[in-house]
């Protein structure tokens, strides 16, 4: 590492910007925009929302005791989490296919869109890409996969300013 004195830093900062520098900045900006344009398709966002949203099973019947406790200002007793509808094999295969295509794209695009290379996030995404879950574990696997994709999308940020 090289140390730069205050005088040198001040001189470098005062140096005028050349046309070549301006051209480089425009090129970097347009490359960044083109990566975003080929980036995330709308159907991926829809699929992520589909997987991460609640998939309610049969609705639990309302209890009279809960209404009475609410009127008295008392907290309702803890309840078990709601039942979740399992994914059908065709639906799980469709979503998994969307995520695998998105993984190939994200592995190519993400390094160009972040300041520091996201090693752990990409490692997890590739591991999930290669995983073959049991049919009974499809929903939990797809939710883990969706969260890994969302983590990378968060790192990449938004182009809109």
């Amino acid at each position: 590492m090289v140390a730069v004195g205050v005088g040198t830093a001040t001189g470098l900062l005062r140096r005028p910007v050349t046309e070549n520098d301006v051209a480089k900045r425009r090129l970097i900006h347009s490359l960044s925009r083109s990566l975003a344009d080929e980036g995330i398709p709308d159907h991926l966002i829809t699929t992520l929302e589909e997987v991460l949203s609640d998939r309610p099973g049969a609705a639990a019947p309302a209890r009279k005791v809960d209404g009475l406790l609410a009127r008295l200002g008392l907290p309702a007793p803890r309840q078990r989490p709601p039942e979740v509808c399992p994914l059908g094999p065709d639906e799980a295969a469709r979503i998994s296919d969307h995520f695998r295509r998105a993984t190939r794209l994200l592995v190519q695009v993400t390094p160009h869109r972040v300041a520091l290379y996201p090693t752990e996030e990409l490692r997890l995404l590739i591991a999930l890409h290669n995983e073959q879950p049991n049919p009974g574990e499809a929903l939990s696997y797809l939710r883990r996969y969706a969260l890994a994709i969302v983590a990378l999308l968060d790192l990449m940020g938004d182009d809109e300013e």
Side-chain angles (χ1 to χ4, degrees):
M1 186 179 330
V2 176
V4 177
V6 175
T8 306
T10 305
L12 290 172
L13 291 173
R14 287 186 181 159
R15 192 171 62 184
V17 178
T18 65
E19 288 184 33
N20 195 16
D21 292 334
V22 173
K24 287 179 188 176
R25 288 182 184 155
R26 283 188 189 146
L27 179 62
I28 288 170
H29 179 71
S30 63
L31 283 174
S32 172
R33 300 302 283 183
S34 69
L35 287 172
D37 289 343
E38 73 182 50
I40 309 307
D42 289 337
H43 67 82
L44 176 62
I45 302 301
T46 305
T47 306
L48 287 170
E49 289 174 354
E50 179 182 346
V51 170
L52 294 175
S53 68
D54 291 333
R55 303 175 59 83
R63 299 182 324 184
K64 292 181 182 181
V65 174
D66 292 343
L68 177 64
L69 289 173
R71 278 185 274 157
L72 294 174
L74 298 172
R78 287 190 178 188
Q79 296 179 356
R80 292 177 45 144
E83 294 292 322
V84 176
C85 288
L87 284 174
D90 294 338
E91 191 177 8
R94 175 187 61 82
I95 293 171
S96 186
D97 182 52
H98 281 232
F99 287 172
R100 285 192 170 90
R101 281 186 274 141
T103 298
R104 287 190 291 273
L105 178 67
L106 287 169
V107 165
Q108 294 172 357
V109 171
T110 302
H112 301 284
R113 303 269 306 151
V114 295
L116 295 174
Y117 191 82
T119 306
E120 274 304 304
E121 289 83 359
L122 286 173
R123 184 199 58 76
L124 176 62
L125 194 66
I126 292 169
L128 288 167
H129 177 272
N130 295 330
E131 189 175 327
Q132 297 296 324
N134 296 329
E137 300 171 349
L139 183 59
S140 63
Y141 162 74
L142 290 173
R143 284 186 172 168
R144 285 184 290 132
Y145 207 160
L147 289 172
I149 291 172
V150 168
L152 273 175
L153 293 176
D154 285 343
L155 285 175
M156 289 185 352
D158 193 7
D159 285 331
E160 303 302 320
E161 295 182 20

